[in-house]
Amino acid sequence: MATDEPNFSINGGVSHSTFAVGSHAHAESHHGTAGQRDQAAEELLKAVRELRADLTRVRADERTAELDAALADTEDEITRTGQAGPTRMERLRQLLADSQALVGLLASAGAVAGLVGI
C-alpha cells in the first residue's frame, strides 16, 4: 500500500449513510426524500405539468423554451427531493413575470404563477 493513500475506518453500521473517499470524490444524499411531497409541492407539480403540456400548444420562441426548461427542472427537482427550492421558485417567478401575456392567455400559467407567489 502506498503511503499517500488515505486511510479511513467505519465504526458501526453504514445503512442510510452517504460518503465518498478520494481527492475528487463527491457524495450526495437524498435518503428518505424522494416521493415525500407536501400538499403545496403536489399542487405545484400538477400545475407545472399542466403548463408544460399547454406550452406545446403555443408558438414556441426563446421565452417559451426557457420557461419550459425551467419547468422541466422544477418537475425533476420536486420528483427527486419532494420540493422546489427557493432558487428554483425565484427563477420561475422571474420567467412568469417576463411572460405576462402568456400568463394571461393560459390558465395553467396563471395557476403556476399563483403557486410561486406572483
Side-chain angles (χ1 to χ4, degrees):
M1 180 169 164
T3 59
D4 61 343
E5 291 184 16
N7 293 317
F8 68 95
S9 64
I10 298 173
N11 296 321
V14 294
S15 63
H16 305 294
S17 299
T18 303
F19 54 91
V21 178
S23 62
H24 298 290
H26 172 79
E28 187 171 327
S29 176
H30 297 285
H31 297 290
T33 59
Q36 296 181 2
R37 297 185 283 265
D38 62 14
Q39 186 63 32
E42 286 290 342
E43 289 177 24
L44 180 58
L45 182 59
K46 180 181 176 196
V48 162
R49 287 175 173 163
E50 288 176 9
L51 178 52
R52 289 194 73 210
D54 285 347
L55 283 177
T56 65
R57 297 176 185 95
V58 299
R59 182 177 303 178
D61 63 17
E62 184 179 303
R63 285 186 298 176
T64 59
E66 190 174 11
L67 178 58
D68 184 58
L71 291 167
D73 291 343
T74 303
E75 183 177 353
D76 179 61
E77 184 173 359
I78 294 171
T79 302
R80 282 184 302 102
T81 69
Q83 65 182 355
T87 303
R88 180 99 41 225
M89 296 288 279
E90 181 58 32
R91 180 71 179 135
L92 283 178
R93 281 186 207 98
Q94 290 172 349
L95 289 170
L96 290 166
D98 290 345
S99 302
Q100 282 300 313
L102 182 65
V103 171
L105 179 65
L106 298 174
S108 59
V112 173
L115 290 167
V116 298
I118 291 181

